[in-house]
Amino acid sequence: MGTEVGLTTSPDHIALYVPGSAMGVRAVFLVGFMASGKSRVGQELARRLEWDFVDLDARIESREQQTVPEIFRDRGEAGFRLAETSALCDLLTASLERNSVVALGGGAFAQERNRELLRQWPSVFLEAPASELWQRSLTDGVERPLRGDPEQFARLYAERLPWYRQASVVVETTGKPLASICVEIEDALQLRGTAADAGSGLARMDRTSFGRGESQ
């Protein structure tokens, strides 16, 4: 991208990125590859905005009464994707009761049906090099059915990258404090944070503190 924040529409229309439902609920969806920090950034952004945080993978596990790796083992990737889309559809149509920051699984935004469901909602791609994401994934203790070896990991990332870059906003995360990333998202989507600014001293995006709990 070449810039820290990339917008896929003009600033004049950025306010349309945060639509309200019939109940007036707003949401922002974080997308990106395995170990990109969606959960950690999402939790911090939700705290700053005083919104709820929703982890889509956690919702899938609750609905299916299985962990993500168990679903992959028992039903394959196709079965997991069906469960993922079902959980997302339910969230958007029935379960989104408060303003929320939602972290999607690594492959969710690569699925055409899911992108269509999210077309009217703001999405943010947390971007980092595949080599950095691989190193983060080695230290977070998360079982990832599709991680494979470094070459397979990089190939899958390259395949998904064009879909990730269809997000409303692209934020490069390498080396940045959590608060700085959140400020960029808030500014791009005209949201208002409530707490610390980029100089708060919160942990930077590094291989030890990010990527926990994010799936395939």
Side-chain angles (χ1 to χ4, degrees):
M1 281 294 175
T3 58
E4 293 182 351
V5 179
L7 304 180
T8 59
T9 191
S10 69
D12 292 341
H13 297 96
I14 198 74
L16 298 178
Y17 276 174
V18 188
S21 69
M23 298 294 291
V25 174
R26 300 191 296 172
V28 173
F29 292 81
L30 303 183
V31 309
F33 201 53
M34 308 175 217
S36 61
K38 299 181 294 292
S39 294
R40 187 81 180 274
V41 172
Q43 289 167 357
E44 174 63 10
L45 182 62
R47 184 192 68 81
R48 292 169 61 91
L49 298 172
E50 298 181 349
W51 288 13
D52 286 351
F53 172 71
V54 178
D55 185 309
L56 187 64
D57 282 346
R59 290 184 64 88
I60 294 168
E61 292 182 337
S62 177
R63 285 163 53 92
E64 304 298 323
Q65 294 297 293
Q66 286 184 295
T67 66
V68 169
E70 287 171 346
I71 296 171
F72 267 83
R73 283 195 293 267
D74 292 348
R75 311 182 214 174
E77 182 176 1
F80 174 77
R81 296 304 171 199
L82 288 174
E84 181 178 63
T85 298
S86 178
L88 179 60
C89 188
D90 176 71
L91 177 67
L92 294 172
T93 59
S95 302
L96 202 61
E97 298 178 348
R98 287 169 42 88
N99 294 344
S100 300
V101 179
V102 182
L104 301 183
F109 206 67
Q111 311 304 311
E112 183 177 5
R113 173 59 175 155
N114 296 340
R115 292 196 305 277
E116 181 61 26
L117 287 171
L118 294 170
R119 187 171 57 86
Q120 297 300 321
W121 296 88
S123 53
V124 179
F125 170 35
L126 302 180
E127 185 167 23
S131 58
E132 179 176 332
L133 297 175
W134 170 259
Q135 291 301 321
R136 291 182 198 169
S137 76
L138 295 178
T139 61
D140 61 17
V142 177
E143 182 180 353
R144 305 176 190 278
L146 297 182
R147 181 171 60 185
D149 60 30
E151 291 74 22
Q152 292 169 323
F153 187 91
R155 185 163 56 249
L156 182 60
Y157 181 63
E159 291 172 358
R160 291 178 177 175
L161 192 57
W163 308 125
Y164 293 148
R165 286 182 170 160
Q166 291 186 22
S168 312
V169 175
V170 177
V171 177
E172 171 58 50
T173 63
T174 301
K176 294 179 181 176
L178 259 178
S180 176
I181 295 166
C182 292
V183 166
E184 291 186 26
I185 295 170
E186 292 163 4
D187 288 348
L189 297 177
Q190 297 186 353
L191 303 170
R192 182 177 60 85
T194 61
D197 60 17
S200 66
L202 290 170
R204 291 181 179 273
M205 293 288 285
D206 61 35
R207 68 184 60 177
T208 61
S209 61
F210 283 80
R212 300 185 184 279
E214 296 172 8
S215 77
Q216 317 306 308

